[in-house]
Amino acid sequence: MADENAKYQSPLTSRYASAEMAANFSNNTRFGTWRRLWVRLAQAEQQLGISGITDGALAEMSANVDNIDYKVAAEEEKRRRHDVMAHVHAFGIAAPQAAGIIHLGATSCFVTDNADLIIFRDAMDLLISKLVVVIDSLSQFARTHRALPTLGFTHFQPAQLTTVGKRATLWVQELLWDLRNMQRARDDLGFRGVKGTTGTQASFLSLFNGDDEKVEELDRLVAELSGFKGKSYPVCGQTYSRKVDVDFVSALSSFGATAHRIATDIRLLANLKEIEEPFERDQIGSSAMAYKRNPMRSERVCSLSRHLMVLIGDVLQTASVQWLERTLDDSANR
């Protein structure tokens, strides 16, 4: 077995991501979601009368959603130079009764884009739940210390008195705005749905012999099965519009600015000895000066926040270069 420590690993995952968030963006989740989408597509197609999709095929697909042979998929991708078709092949081996109907009528973005939207939605749910806890804790802190006087600063120069609790409400207010933005971005997420290769649904119209009502129903059914009832985007190119990513990441980058501001305030106050981060019993403040009380958690927040804040620039550039129905400009870096 290859030594995982012999190759680069992103610290965003290995050091800083929660177990839940790392799992949400894992290969198992991504490619398992692809398979679930293929199952839902086949179920809806069978329900609407497409012949050749047997109950046995659906059962076999459902039973093997998480039975992913990554070695087979990697070998097939190396040969075909196509990631989606490599996983279609691997799924067909795991569910041979369904090999001929997996991905029926669909384009690659049916799984790649729809899976991304599901993963983004679930990631935002995780983030919102944690942010609510932070807001509650800071609100309690503000109430507890609402009457504790402290020197206020403007331009980081001594100004009039304020209170510790009043200063904390500045942080809470901005986090509440971030919560609003995140919830709005999460609720605004739609589903690419079943739109075909260029968004015209032509392949599905052919599959249903020109019955556009069944094509629309197929789109509705798959969206509902995927947790996006009534929320399939009405039009798209080959991909869903990357303006969706702009709206979504804007909320995250804005939160990054808030987190950086709060952590910076804590670092300044730590220097003034007005507030300190927790210091564990066996913690070492510095390799040369073990007595130091460095605000390392706040420094870490600032570092990660800067990364979060600049992501919006990349997303804006991706949205701007989606020529006509789409390009692959975002293929490698999304």
Side-chain angles (χ1 to χ4, degrees):
M1 182 178 293
D3 182 2
E4 290 297 315
N5 292 305
K7 63 181 181 181
Y8 174 76
Q9 299 179 49
S10 171
L12 294 177
T13 302
S14 61
R15 291 180 67 89
Y16 303 125
S18 67
E20 305 98 314
M21 193 66 81
N24 186 59
F25 283 92
S26 69
N27 283 340
N28 286 345
T29 296
R30 181 171 304 280
F31 297 120
T33 302
W34 285 14
R35 291 191 173 189
R36 287 175 176 84
L37 285 164
W38 281 321
V39 171
R40 293 164 191 159
L41 177 64
Q43 288 172 335
E45 287 175 336
Q46 185 202 53
Q47 182 176 329
L48 293 170
I50 297 297
S51 61
I53 303 178
T54 65
D55 291 342
L58 293 177
E60 206 167 60
M61 290 173 72
S62 298
N64 285 280
V65 161
D66 296 313
N67 179 27
I68 302 172
D69 191 327
Y70 288 104
K71 183 179 180 181
V72 167
E75 290 172 351
E76 189 67 14
E77 182 175 357
K78 187 176 181 180
R79 185 163 84 248
R80 304 296 183 187
R81 305 299 296 174
H82 199 291
D83 56 346
V84 173
M85 291 313 297
H87 278 272
V88 169
H89 177 79
F91 199 12
I93 291 175
Q97 291 186 62
I101 57 93
I102 295 171
H103 199 68
L104 185 61
T107 188
S108 297
C109 289
F110 167 70
V111 287
T112 57
D113 274 31
N114 284 323
D116 280 348
L117 290 164
I118 291 169
I119 290 169
F120 294 165
R121 177 197 64 191
D122 294 348
M124 192 63 92
D125 284 342
L126 289 172
L127 190 55
I128 286 171
S129 67
K130 292 179 182 295
L131 181 55
V132 167
V133 173
V134 171
I135 291 171
D136 181 64
S137 295
L138 272 178
S139 297
Q140 292 182 42
F141 176 86
R143 282 192 294 270
T144 299
H145 301 290
R146 64 185 180 275
L148 180 62
T150 188
L151 186 61
F153 287 85
T154 60
H155 310 273
F156 201 47
Q157 299 300 313
Q160 291 182 348
L161 288 176
T162 184
T163 72
V164 172
K166 165 59 173 59
R167 177 178 283 151
T169 64
L170 299 175
W171 304 337
V172 172
Q173 177 173 254
E174 293 189 5
L175 289 173
L176 285 168
W177 289 336
D178 289 316
L179 178 62
R180 175 206 60 193
N181 294 342
M182 289 181 191
Q183 190 66 60
R184 184 165 55 198
R186 190 263 185 229
D187 292 343
D188 282 350
L189 273 183
F191 197 59
R192 179 197 177 273
V194 182
K195 299 295 196 300
T197 56
T198 57
T200 65
Q201 298 181 309
S203 58
F204 294 103
L205 277 169
S206 177
L207 199 62
F208 286 102
N209 298 313
D211 190 335
D212 63 304
E213 290 185 1
K214 283 193 174 181
V215 174
E216 292 297 318
E217 181 65 7
L218 179 70
D219 195 22
R220 188 195 67 77
L221 281 173
V222 175
E224 183 173 340
L225 288 169
S226 301
F228 289 86
K229 184 177 181 180
K231 295 189 66 177
S232 184
Y233 292 119
V235 296
C236 70
Q238 189 169 81
T239 67
Y240 67 81
S241 171
R242 295 316 187 214
K243 285 285 286 185
V244 172
D245 293 347
V246 173
D247 289 346
F248 191 81
V249 176
S250 290
L252 299 177
S253 290
S254 180
F255 168 65
T258 302
H260 197 294
R261 180 265 170 94
I262 295 172
T264 300
D265 283 354
I266 293 172
R267 292 167 68 182
L268 292 170
L269 292 170
N271 178 262
L272 298 173
K273 300 303 178 185
E274 289 194 22
I275 193 169
E276 284 188 333
E277 291 184 0
F279 198 84
E280 297 169 21
R281 187 181 65 179
D282 296 324
Q283 183 175 333
I284 297 174
S286 165
S287 61
M289 298 166 283
Y291 57 85
K292 289 188 70 184
R293 304 291 285 265
N294 298 332
M296 63 178 190
R297 292 173 178 85
S298 297
E299 291 169 328
R300 187 182 304 147
V301 169
C302 288
S303 178
L304 293 171
S305 294
R306 290 200 308 274
H307 174 72
L308 195 57
M309 286 187 286
V310 300
L311 289 178
I312 188 60
D314 185 58
V315 175
L316 286 167
Q317 292 187 55
T318 295
S320 73
V321 295
Q322 291 300 296
W323 304 352
L324 305 175
E325 276 65 50
R326 73 87 58 104
T327 72
L328 279 174
D329 285 270
D330 64 351
S331 180
N333 67 2
R334 287 184 80 248

PDB file of all heavy atoms in Angstrom, residues 143-155:
ATOM      1  N   ARG A 143     -23.974  39.373  26.708  1.00  0.00           N
ATOM      2  CA  ARG A 143     -24.908  39.631  27.816  1.00  0.00           C
ATOM      3  C   ARG A 143     -24.190  39.576  29.159  1.00  0.00           C
ATOM      4  O   ARG A 143     -24.425  40.411  30.039  1.00  0.00           O
ATOM      5  CB  ARG A 143     -26.051  38.612  27.781  1.00  0.00           C
ATOM      6  CG  ARG A 143     -27.105  38.904  26.730  1.00  0.00           C
ATOM      7  CD  ARG A 143     -28.333  38.036  26.938  1.00  0.00           C
ATOM      8  NE  ARG A 143     -28.051  36.621  26.707  1.00  0.00           N
ATOM      9  CZ  ARG A 143     -28.173  36.015  25.519  1.00  0.00           C
ATOM     10  NH1 ARG A 143     -28.565  36.716  24.463  1.00  0.00           N
ATOM     11  NH2 ARG A 143     -27.908  34.742  25.396  1.00  0.00           N
ATOM     12  N   THR A 144     -23.299  38.606  29.320  1.00  0.00           N
ATOM     13  CA  THR A 144     -22.582  38.441  30.590  1.00  0.00           C
ATOM     14  C   THR A 144     -21.732  39.661  30.914  1.00  0.00           C
ATOM     15  O   THR A 144     -21.641  40.092  32.073  1.00  0.00           O
ATOM     16  CB  THR A 144     -21.702  37.179  30.528  1.00  0.00           C
ATOM     17  OG1 THR A 144     -22.534  36.034  30.324  1.00  0.00           O
ATOM     18  CG2 THR A 144     -20.914  37.003  31.822  1.00  0.00           C
ATOM     19  N   HIS A 145     -21.114  40.249  29.882  1.00  0.00           N
ATOM     20  CA  HIS A 145     -20.160  41.340  30.104  1.00  0.00           C
ATOM     21  C   HIS A 145     -20.681  42.683  29.592  1.00  0.00           C
ATOM     22  O   HIS A 145     -19.892  43.583  29.294  1.00  0.00           O
ATOM     23  CB  HIS A 145     -18.828  40.999  29.419  1.00  0.00           C
ATOM     24  CG  HIS A 145     -18.201  39.726  29.908  1.00  0.00           C
ATOM     25  ND1 HIS A 145     -17.658  39.609  31.163  1.00  0.00           N
ATOM     26  CD2 HIS A 145     -18.064  38.507  29.312  1.00  0.00           C
ATOM     27  CE1 HIS A 145     -17.187  38.373  31.329  1.00  0.00           C
ATOM     28  NE2 HIS A 145     -17.428  37.687  30.223  1.00  0.00           N
ATOM     29  N   ARG A 146     -22.007  42.812  29.537  1.00  0.00           N
ATOM     30  CA  ARG A 146     -22.585  44.033  28.970  1.00  0.00           C
ATOM     31  C   ARG A 146     -22.267  45.279  29.792  1.00  0.00           C
ATOM     32  O   ARG A 146     -22.260  46.396  29.268  1.00  0.00           O
ATOM     33  CB  ARG A 146     -24.105  43.876  28.829  1.00  0.00           C
ATOM     34  CG  ARG A 146     -24.858  43.707  30.145  1.00  0.00           C
ATOM     35  CD  ARG A 146     -26.339  43.440  29.869  1.00  0.00           C
ATOM     36  NE  ARG A 146     -27.117  43.266  31.083  1.00  0.00           N
ATOM     37  CZ  ARG A 146     -27.242  42.118  31.736  1.00  0.00           C
ATOM     38  NH1 ARG A 146     -26.613  41.031  31.279  1.00  0.00           N
ATOM     39  NH2 ARG A 146     -27.980  42.027  32.821  1.00  0.00           N
ATOM     40  N   ALA A 147     -21.981  45.109  31.085  1.00  0.00           N
ATOM     41  CA  ALA A 147     -21.718  46.286  31.936  1.00  0.00           C
ATOM     42  C   ALA A 147     -20.250  46.413  32.331  1.00  0.00           C
ATOM     43  O   ALA A 147     -19.897  47.299  33.122  1.00  0.00           O
ATOM     44  CB  ALA A 147     -22.580  46.205  33.192  1.00  0.00           C
ATOM     45  N   LEU A 148     -19.400  45.574  31.787  1.00  0.00           N
ATOM     46  CA  LEU A 148     -17.977  45.608  32.155  1.00  0.00           C
ATOM     47  C   LEU A 148     -17.270  46.668  31.317  1.00  0.00           C
ATOM     48  O   LEU A 148     -17.117  46.514  30.106  1.00  0.00           O
ATOM     49  CB  LEU A 148     -17.343  44.233  31.923  1.00  0.00           C
ATOM     50  CG  LEU A 148     -15.852  44.112  32.263  1.00  0.00           C
ATOM     51  CD1 LEU A 148     -15.616  44.377  33.749  1.00  0.00           C
ATOM     52  CD2 LEU A 148     -15.323  42.727  31.871  1.00  0.00           C
ATOM     53  N   PRO A 149     -16.845  47.768  31.917  1.00  0.00           N
ATOM     54  CA  PRO A 149     -16.242  48.852  31.125  1.00  0.00           C
ATOM     55  C   PRO A 149     -14.872  48.477  30.583  1.00  0.00           C
ATOM     56  O   PRO A 149     -14.113  47.720  31.205  1.00  0.00           O
ATOM     57  CB  PRO A 149     -16.156  50.011  32.117  1.00  0.00           C
ATOM     58  CG  PRO A 149     -16.103  49.351  33.472  1.00  0.00           C
ATOM     59  CD  PRO A 149     -16.914  48.090  33.352  1.00  0.00           C
ATOM     60  N   THR A 150     -14.568  49.017  29.431  1.00  0.00           N
ATOM     61  CA  THR A 150     -13.243  48.840  28.837  1.00  0.00           C
ATOM     62  C   THR A 150     -12.970  50.035  27.942  1.00  0.00           C
ATOM     63  O   THR A 150     -13.905  50.721  27.490  1.00  0.00           O
ATOM     64  CB  THR A 150     -13.157  47.529  28.019  1.00  0.00           C
ATOM     65  OG1 THR A 150     -11.809  47.301  27.614  1.00  0.00           O
ATOM     66  CG2 THR A 150     -14.044  47.577  26.784  1.00  0.00           C
ATOM     67  N   LEU A 151     -11.717  50.273  27.690  1.00  0.00           N
ATOM     68  CA  LEU A 151     -11.338  51.405  26.862  1.00  0.00           C
ATOM     69  C   LEU A 151     -11.651  51.110  25.392  1.00  0.00           C
ATOM     70  O   LEU A 151     -11.263  50.067  24.860  1.00  0.00           O
ATOM     71  CB  LEU A 151      -9.847  51.701  27.027  1.00  0.00           C
ATOM     72  CG  LEU A 151      -9.311  52.952  26.319  1.00  0.00           C
ATOM     73  CD1 LEU A 151     -10.009  54.214  26.841  1.00  0.00           C
ATOM     74  CD2 LEU A 151      -7.794  53.052  26.517  1.00  0.00           C
ATOM     75  N   GLY A 152     -12.361  52.028  24.760  1.00  0.00           N
ATOM     76  CA  GLY A 152     -12.615  51.892  23.336  1.00  0.00           C
ATOM     77  C   GLY A 152     -11.450  52.430  22.523  1.00  0.00           C
ATOM     78  O   GLY A 152     -10.654  53.249  23.013  1.00  0.00           O
ATOM     79  N   PHE A 153     -11.326  51.964  21.306  1.00  0.00           N
ATOM     80  CA  PHE A 153     -10.238  52.404  20.439  1.00  0.00           C
ATOM     81  C   PHE A 153     -10.783  52.804  19.076  1.00  0.00           C
ATOM     82  O   PHE A 153     -11.613  52.097  18.487  1.00  0.00           O
ATOM     83  CB  PHE A 153      -9.208  51.285  20.232  1.00  0.00           C
ATOM     84  CG  PHE A 153      -8.344  51.010  21.428  1.00  0.00           C
ATOM     85  CD1 PHE A 153      -8.783  50.156  22.438  1.00  0.00           C
ATOM     86  CD2 PHE A 153      -7.103  51.610  21.557  1.00  0.00           C
ATOM     87  CE1 PHE A 153      -7.997  49.902  23.539  1.00  0.00           C
ATOM     88  CE2 PHE A 153      -6.307  51.361  22.667  1.00  0.00           C
ATOM     89  CZ  PHE A 153      -6.757  50.508  23.664  1.00  0.00           C
ATOM     90  N   THR A 154     -10.343  53.927  18.574  1.00  0.00           N
ATOM     91  CA  THR A 154     -10.557  54.274  17.170  1.00  0.00           C
ATOM     92  C   THR A 154      -9.180  54.546  16.583  1.00  0.00           C
ATOM     93  O   THR A 154      -8.340  55.180  17.236  1.00  0.00           O
ATOM     94  CB  THR A 154     -11.463  55.506  17.000  1.00  0.00           C
ATOM     95  OG1 THR A 154     -10.857  56.628  17.638  1.00  0.00           O
ATOM     96  CG2 THR A 154     -12.840  55.254  17.605  1.00  0.00           C
ATOM     97  N   HIS A 155      -8.953  54.067  15.360  1.00  0.00           N
ATOM     98  CA  HIS A 155      -7.619  54.117  14.729  1.00  0.00           C
ATOM     99  C   HIS A 155      -6.588  53.379  15.591  1.00  0.00           C
ATOM    100  O   HIS A 155      -5.386  53.652  15.504  1.00  0.00           O
ATOM    101  CB  HIS A 155      -7.162  55.567  14.504  1.00  0.00           C
ATOM    102  CG  HIS A 155      -8.190  56.418  13.832  1.00  0.00           C
ATOM    103  ND1 HIS A 155      -8.316  56.499  12.461  1.00  0.00           N
ATOM    104  CD2 HIS A 155      -9.181  57.207  14.343  1.00  0.00           C
ATOM    105  CE1 HIS A 155      -9.313  57.306  12.153  1.00  0.00           C
ATOM    106  NE2 HIS A 155      -9.863  57.740  13.275  1.00  0.00           N
TER     107      HIS A 155
END
